[in-house]
Amino acid sequence: MDDLHQFLESHVYAVWDFMSLLKALQNKLTSTTTPWFASANPETRYLINEIVLAEESDLTLDGKRLSHFEMYVDTMKDCGAQTLELESFLQNVIDTKNVFIAIRQSNMHPKIKDFLDFTFRVIEEGKSHKIAAAFTFGREDLIPNMFTEILKSFQQNFPETDLSKLIYYFERHIELDADEHGPMAMQMITELCQHDEHKWKDVEETSILALEKRIGLWDAIEEKIIQKPELV
């Protein structure tokens, strides 16, 4: 259970910054200002709005509406993981009005800082196809297989522990990302790049970097689990 807590307390940052990738795409690909005007591509507009709806306002296990990030934090509290560091970081983002300063000032593992910094550098650059690449290949395309393996571990290691909220969260993502969001994200990439070789090259390079940063996040989690103090 201590190892699970270490995982949740680090992985939650990937759940949080994912929402910023998503909202950056919504800002780029739909009309989110007034006066309203129809955005250029109706297909990408539909795709991103559909993903936003589920990610920002999904049904919880007990029938409430929450974002997936809020659901994740709720599951952390439910199973005894700590959220104080996360809450302190988010408050510092608000106070400094600068996510890069908040990342630098945090007590996170350096590889988690690097992971977050990459996400917001891509967002800051403002190129829709690069944001979509980090979103699709660094996140959506990975999740079904990743969470399926985690659920297998739950069944083996926590047979008598009530992790119903966390299991629901993972199962919901496997369902959405495998059947709906993953294919939608792939289609969005195609719509954004079309026949532009330079954009496809950007997508390839950004995707590789996103995967490298993701591996760094997993390495950080592994290090924290291995190095945690032994209970006496």
Side-chain angles (χ1 to χ4, degrees), residues 48-182:
I48 202 65
N49 279 334
E50 277 291 303
I51 296 173
V52 168
L53 177 62
E55 295 287 346
E56 199 168 34
S57 307
D58 205 4
L59 278 173
T60 65
L61 184 61
D62 52 2
K64 298 176 183 177
R65 290 285 178 187
L66 287 177
S67 69
H68 285 174
F69 170 71
E70 291 167 306
M71 288 168 61
Y72 198 93
V73 173
D74 187 42
T75 65
M76 289 176 66
K77 293 176 179 177
D78 190 60
C79 74
Q82 295 297 315
T83 59
L84 185 60
E85 182 185 273
L86 170 71
E87 291 161 2
S88 175
F89 167 70
L90 295 180
Q91 186 59 52
N92 201 28
V93 174
I94 295 169
D95 293 342
T96 61
K97 298 180 175 61
N98 187 312
V99 70
F100 298 107
I101 291 174
I103 292 168
R104 286 199 301 271
Q105 292 178 346
S106 75
N107 294 321
M108 299 173 204
H109 190 290
K111 290 178 181 176
I112 299 177
K113 289 185 180 185
D114 195 36
F115 176 85
L116 289 173
D117 185 79
F118 169 77
T119 295
F120 288 98
R121 295 292 174 192
V122 172
I123 291 171
E124 186 179 55
E125 188 178 357
K127 294 184 178 180
S128 299
H129 63 291
K130 286 191 174 184
I131 301 171
F135 177 87
T136 301
F137 297 107
R139 308 300 178 92
E140 292 289 79
D141 190 46
L142 300 177
I143 287 174
N145 289 338
M146 180 181 80
F147 283 174
T148 297
E149 291 302 314
I150 290 174
L151 284 178
K152 289 179 184 176
S153 175
F154 282 178
Q155 293 162 0
Q156 293 168 4
N157 296 314
F158 307 106
E160 298 177 0
T161 305
D162 182 9
L163 296 175
S164 54
K165 287 185 178 181
L166 191 56
I167 289 169
Y168 173 81
Y169 174 89
F170 287 143
E171 287 180 339
R172 182 69 177 135
H173 270 76
I174 292 167
E175 175 189 359
L176 283 174
D177 295 331
D179 298 336
E180 299 175 34
H181 294 179

Side-chain angles (χ1 to χ4, degrees), residues 218-230:
W218 296 137
D219 289 344
I221 294 170
E222 183 183 34
E223 287 173 26
K224 291 178 73 173
I225 288 173
I226 291 171
Q227 295 171 7
K228 73 179 186 298
E230 294 297 327

Side-chain angles (χ1 to χ4, degrees), residues 3 13 22 74 143 199:
D3 294 347
Y13 293 102
L22 178 60
D74 187 42
I143 287 174
K199 285 185 176 180

